[in-house]
Amino acid sequence: MALLSLTTAADVQRQLAASVRQRRRVRKLSRRALAERSTVPAATIKRFETTGQISLRQFVLLWQCVGDLDQLASMAGPTAAQPRTIDEVLEQEPSVRGAR
């Protein structure tokens, strides 16, 4: 059962594209320079930065040049199980529920 979220996949794609663009600019890299370093074509980088559309492989290649791959990989790690019912929430210890 998925948790309710107001964030859409398109929102995340735009955020990732904006992050890559911002990191590229901070490093004073043109799209062409990033293309040479990452092996992702400059046209693909332009499309990604304007639409958010890119393959996962190409995104990882770009992120490798502008970000921290370990940080990206850690996002795929195990996460704590979330309660699915109110009974599961009530069964948790008070410190887990945020009691003060």
Side-chain angles (χ1 to χ4, degrees):
M1 173 182 217
L3 298 175
L4 179 62
S5 175
L6 298 178
T7 304
T8 66
D11 293 335
V12 174
Q13 285 176 263
R14 284 188 295 273
Q15 290 170 349
L16 291 172
S19 181
V20 168
R21 181 177 47 248
Q22 186 264 339
R23 289 165 179 260
R24 174 179 64 78
R25 289 178 174 170
V26 165
R27 287 166 179 73
K28 299 187 186 326
L29 292 171
S30 66
R31 287 180 182 146
R32 177 183 233 156
L34 181 56
E36 290 172 5
R37 288 183 182 196
S38 67
T39 71
V40 176
T44 300
I45 296 170
K46 180 179 180 179
R47 186 181 74 237
F48 175 54
E49 289 184 352
T50 57
T51 69
Q53 299 292 315
I54 197 167
S55 74
L56 177 59
R57 173 73 179 154
Q58 289 173 323
F59 173 75
V60 171
L61 289 170
L62 292 177
W63 195 261
Q64 179 175 291
C65 295
V66 299
D68 179 359
L69 276 184
D70 290 333
Q71 179 187 25
L72 186 63
S74 72
M75 292 176 17
T79 59
Q82 297 294 317
R84 294 186 197 176
T85 67
I86 190 66
D87 291 331
E88 289 179 5
V89 171
L90 295 174
E91 289 173 3
Q92 290 179 337
E93 293 185 32
S95 61
V96 174
R97 289 194 313 242
R100 295 168 196 182

